[in-house]
Amino acid sequence: MHHRPAPAHQHTAAARRPATLVAVGHGSRDPRARATLLRLLDRVRELRPGLDVRLAHIELNAPLLDETLAGLAAEGREAVLVPLLFAPGHHVTHDLPAAVAAVPGLRARVAAPLGAHPLLVEALADRLAEAGWTPGEDDRRTTGVVLAAAGSRDPRSGAETRRIAALLGERLGGVPVVPAYASAAAPTVPEAVAALAARGRHRIAVASCFTAPGLFAARAAAHAPWIAAAPLGAHPALARLVLHRHDRALAAPAVVHGRELAAV
């Protein structure tokens, strides 16, 4: 009995390896940053055994994103880039798509930034609690939070950070949460602290909307009049959010040099 050979496209689909989750950090001169992100990705692997998870950086740290993507293309793997950033900005809207376009033949998707999501708010609230956030009902009129973020000139970034701040305020029972920025946008952390103090809020905490230790996170924490939360690091909720962004992106069409391909 003779069997017809399977069509060539079926062989191609069968041979195609599962997509690789490429978690993209900014990069930092602080040696703790890379180690922290590696611990975060260990949590991601624990949640999704068998998923190929790799770390790449936009600058300053190895492995760099362009080298990682070139290696994946050589392996015949598809990539899902998950930015370890919290809002749209130049890195998300320009650098990541440009890095994908620079690698011939690479099938890739770029996920949304971590953004305003209940899982992110869970991690932010937990880090505040770890730092000593325990205001009772009588303290709510005197407490406030500054949400420290990197900052961007892209107005979409500020809008997303304000959404994160609003969600965190709800999570904390209506305590005012004022977003502030380490660069490129206003207000700064000291300006946000002053604004809360002018409203009679004298127990002011700084929440760290950063994935890992670094210059911006350290500067923000130094301006905390009361307590400063640690960067989110390998928080379990952040690991779940990375997977959520990966899964949402994987459901979208892949792209090769600007051409959409059918999702597999």
Side-chain angles (χ1 to χ4, degrees), residues 33-67:
R34 183 175 180 274
T36 299
L37 296 186
L38 288 172
R39 287 194 297 272
L40 172 63
L41 298 192
D42 283 342
R43 283 196 180 273
V44 172
R45 294 183 185 98
E46 290 170 4
L47 291 169
R48 190 72 58 84
L51 178 63
D52 184 26
V53 180
R54 307 190 191 186
L55 176 63
H57 300 89
I58 296 170
E59 60 183 5
L60 298 175
N61 296 122
L64 291 171
L65 180 58
D66 55 355
E67 297 167 355

Side-chain angles (χ1 to χ4, degrees), residues 98-198:
V100 169
V103 182
L106 176 68
R107 293 173 54 90
R109 299 168 170 87
V110 178
L114 300 175
H117 190 279
L119 287 169
L120 175 58
V121 174
E122 178 182 339
L124 287 166
D126 280 358
R127 290 289 186 246
L128 278 170
E130 291 166 4
W133 176 269
T134 55
E137 287 299 325
D138 294 339
D139 299 320
R140 292 193 186 280
R141 292 183 180 180
T142 60
T143 55
V145 175
V146 173
L147 178 69
S152 169
R153 292 182 179 84
D154 190 323
R156 293 170 295 179
S157 178
E160 188 70 10
T161 306
R162 288 191 293 274
R163 284 191 285 270
I164 297 169
L167 289 176
L168 181 58
E170 293 174 10
R171 173 69 178 249
L172 298 177
V175 170
V177 178
V178 177
Y181 307 97
S183 68
T188 64
V189 172
E191 288 168 347
V193 167
L196 281 168

Side-chain angles (χ1 to χ4, degrees), residues 19-26 37 40-41 44 48 51-58 65 68-69 72 79-86 91-92 96 100 108-115 211 238-250:
T20 293
L21 189 163
V22 180
V24 186
H26 179 275
L37 296 186
L40 172 63
L41 298 192
V44 172
R48 190 72 58 84
L51 178 63
D52 184 26
V53 180
R54 307 190 191 186
L55 176 63
H57 300 89
I58 296 170
L65 180 58
T68 299
L69 296 183
L72 290 172
V80 178
L81 279 63
V82 179
L84 299 179
L85 304 167
F86 297 98
H91 292 313
V92 173
L96 270 59
V100 169
R109 299 168 170 87
V110 178
L114 300 175
T211 51
L238 197 65
R240 296 201 302 274
L241 182 52
V242 168
L243 281 172
H244 172 72
R245 294 302 182 207
H246 163 270
D247 294 347
R248 290 286 297 271
L250 197 57

